[in-house]
Amino acid sequence: MRYHQSGNIPQKRHTIFKSPEDKFYYEQLFGTEGFHGISSLLYHVHRPTQIKSIGEPKDVTPKIAIDKNVTPRMFKGMNVTPEDDFMDSRKFLLVNNDLKMGLAKPRKSMDYFYKNAECDELLYVHNGSGILKTFVGNLEFSFGDYLIIPRGTIYQVELNSDDTVFFVVESHSPIYTPKRYRNEFGQLLEHSPFCERDIIAPTFVEPKDEKGEFLIKVKKENQITDFIYATHPFDVVGWDGYFYPYKFNIKNFEPITGRIHQPPPVHQTFEAHNFVVCSFCARMYDYHPMAIPAPYNHSNIDSDEVLFYTEGDFMSRNHIDLMDFTLHPGGIVHGPHPGAMERSIGKKFTEEYAVMVDPFKPLKITEEAMKVEDPSYKTSWLEE
């Protein structure tokens, strides 16, 4: 992340800051990791602490169908059920102690505010468009955008249509750009497949100076609790720092290619504790005269591998539809489907787009996932 400033802020932090009407603004430190991690300072029209009431928590713990999995699996994302409400639509398919991932197909915009109080969120836009409204500004989104939302961000999602689809990752640790692509000052290096120009910060919006009853749904420890606040949460007159939501579009990722097949780490886009996120993008294939563009068989001993297919024709797989998930558990050999290796020889480029998540701890399979599983996938490498 890089430093960003928006709206009006005082010259010195932790000092008196007043409106033109001589009313105090109220400072809030927004950050994680006990004053050690990156943070921002926000300045509110009203105290951001004015709770009027707190409702009973609603349990949203994903129900586990398979606790220990060694079976290759495919889940048909097309068959995940849409819901009107944004939070109800969030169906987690694969989870462990580090993350949850799945799909959300909300049909309506949010008429409340939401805060994830323990997880960073990654929302990848597979379909649809709209506006992510937050207390530090707005981000317009459309196909291919990664929306990275730090824990504690208060936000709303406004949709332009009822067919929006998000690939969702909730991370119990911060989601960062890969450390190996940053220098000691945090700047992305010349060999990074993207740069700061590709990372879009929120657009500032004039503060909402409103009193009343404002519902913020707060998620923590797999419970969602309704908080009613006395003032509008989007009353920030200005902020600065390194901690804020942003977007990055998958088509701004510049693929790293070579004469022979490159391993998956060249596709890495984000990292967190115990998992990475990679972007497979349209790119030139390997250019050695004897190159085999299809990936070689591999067993990923130390991590599971999840691929979410979002655009184009994925050359290493047969019978893959958009929105499909494939899961390959660590330690079990996997590779191209029969005929895929041979078909790839001589090909010059691919137009495929997919998001890959590699967790370093085994994934559990939820009941939601089993509703949409294709049970034939595990034997789909048999030669006919």
Side-chain angles (χ1 to χ4, degrees):
M1 297 298 295
R2 58 178 171 172
Y3 175 80
H4 190 79
Q5 178 183 325
S6 196
N8 296 316
I9 61 172
Q11 190 277 327
K12 191 78 172 174
R13 60 185 176 175
H14 316 326
T15 58
I16 292 172
F17 183 34
K18 290 186 174 182
S19 71
E21 296 75 33
D22 201 38
K23 294 182 178 179
F24 283 105
Y25 291 134
Y26 299 94
E27 185 182 61
Q28 175 194 351
L29 177 69
F30 175 50
T32 60
E33 299 181 326
F35 298 91
H36 171 73
I38 59 174
S39 63
S40 292
L41 285 170
L42 284 55
Y43 295 88
H44 295 267
V45 174
H46 302 283
R47 291 184 180 87
T49 51
Q50 297 183 63
I51 299 170
K52 297 185 82 168
S53 65
I54 300 176
E56 290 298 317
K58 173 186 176 183
D59 184 73
V60 292
T61 306
K63 294 181 172 59
I64 304 303
I66 299 173
D67 186 63
K68 297 177 181 179
N69 176 67
V70 293
T71 302
R73 299 179 185 274
M74 175 193 283
F75 307 104
K76 308 298 288 184
M78 190 72 71
N79 296 334
V80 170
T81 304
E83 304 283 356
D84 286 345
D85 180 73
F86 180 81
M87 293 310 302
D88 290 344
S89 76
R90 194 173 287 199
K91 307 294 176 68
F92 290 113
L93 309 182
L94 304 164
V95 304
N96 64 19
N97 288 336
D98 300 308
L99 78 161
K100 307 178 189 74
M101 71 179 100
L103 283 185
K105 297 181 179 180
R107 289 184 290 215
K108 294 183 178 180
S109 299
M110 296 166 65
D111 58 2
Y112 54 86
F113 304 92
Y114 172 67
K115 175 168 68 173
N116 195 323
E118 66 176 349
C119 287
D120 281 28
E121 297 187 350
L122 179 155
L123 305 182
Y124 172 81
V125 184
H126 171 78
N127 194 61
S129 62
I131 304 174
L132 175 68
K133 298 180 175 182
T134 83
F135 62 179
V136 293
N138 292 353
L139 287 164
E140 294 186 5
F141 63 80
S142 57
F143 171 78
D145 280 332
Y146 288 104
L147 302 172
I148 304 299
I149 308 173
R151 69 200 61 205
T153 302
I154 299 173
Y155 71 84
Q156 284 181 318
V157 174
E158 181 178 294
L159 305 176
N160 291 333
S161 64
D162 63 1
D163 59 353
T164 304
V165 179
F166 297 105
F167 169 53
V168 180
V169 177
E170 289 191 9
S171 170
H172 286 272
S173 59
I175 298 174
Y176 296 135
T177 55
K179 187 176 181 179
R180 72 177 186 278
Y181 289 139
R182 290 182 271 118
N183 63 23
E184 65 268 34
F185 302 102
Q187 183 179 15
L188 289 164
L189 297 166
E190 285 294 300
H191 68 281
S192 169
F194 52 93
C195 76
E196 284 83 1
R197 297 180 189 181
D198 302 316
I199 294 172
I200 309 301
T203 300
F204 182 73
V205 176
E206 289 299 316
K208 305 282 189 183
D209 183 0
E210 298 177 18
K211 296 181 178 180
E213 295 193 346
F214 300 90
L215 170 60
I216 303 178
K217 292 181 178 289
V218 178
K219 184 176 182 181
K220 190 164 187 178
E221 295 188 296
N222 287 319
Q223 292 184 327
I224 294 179
T225 305
D226 289 356
F227 280 68
I228 303 296
Y229 279 83
T231 60
H232 199 293
F234 295 173
D235 69 341
V236 174
V237 299
W239 64 276
D240 77 329
Y242 290 77
F243 196 55
Y244 51 88
Y246 65 90
K247 72 175 180 180
F248 168 75
N249 194 277
I250 195 170
K251 295 195 175 182
N252 285 325
F253 186 92
E254 301 299 334
I256 298 170
T257 60
R259 274 175 33 99
I260 59 173
H261 191 81
Q262 301 296 295
V266 302
H267 305 288
Q268 187 181 349
T269 314
F270 304 106
E271 67 183 18
H273 179 65
N274 281 338
F275 74 92
V276 299
V277 178
C278 300
S279 302
F280 286 85
C281 298
R283 62 195 181 277
M284 298 298 295
Y285 274 144
D286 323 314
Y287 46 88
H288 187 285
M290 298 294 287
I292 300 176
Y296 36 78
N297 297 300
H298 55 288
S299 53
N300 270 31
I301 295 296
D302 297 318
S303 67
D304 286 5
E305 177 187 289
V306 176
L307 270 167
F308 173 70
Y309 300 88
T310 186
E311 184 181 10
D313 182 17
F314 209 74
M315 59 89 176
S316 64
R317 295 277 179 264
N318 301 335
H319 313 302
I320 289 289
D321 295 320
L322 299 185
M323 265 192 276
D324 282 352
F325 286 79
T326 56
L327 165 63
H328 293 277
I332 307 301
V333 179
H334 66 284
H337 271 138
M341 181 194 79
E342 294 82 355
R343 290 195 305 269
S344 76
I345 295 172
K347 296 289 182 65
K348 301 300 182 185
F349 59 89
T350 176
E351 298 294 338
E352 70 194 17
Y353 287 88
V355 179
M356 184 172 81
V357 180
D358 277 7
F360 303 138
K361 298 294 183 182
L363 291 165
K364 304 176 190 298
I365 318 298
T366 69
E367 292 180 3
E368 290 289 346
M370 297 308 294
K371 293 177 184 178
V372 296
E373 185 187 19
D374 178 352
S376 69
Y377 184 70
K378 60 181 175 290
T379 57
S380 59
W381 287 266
L382 288 172
E383 296 181 355
E384 297 178 356

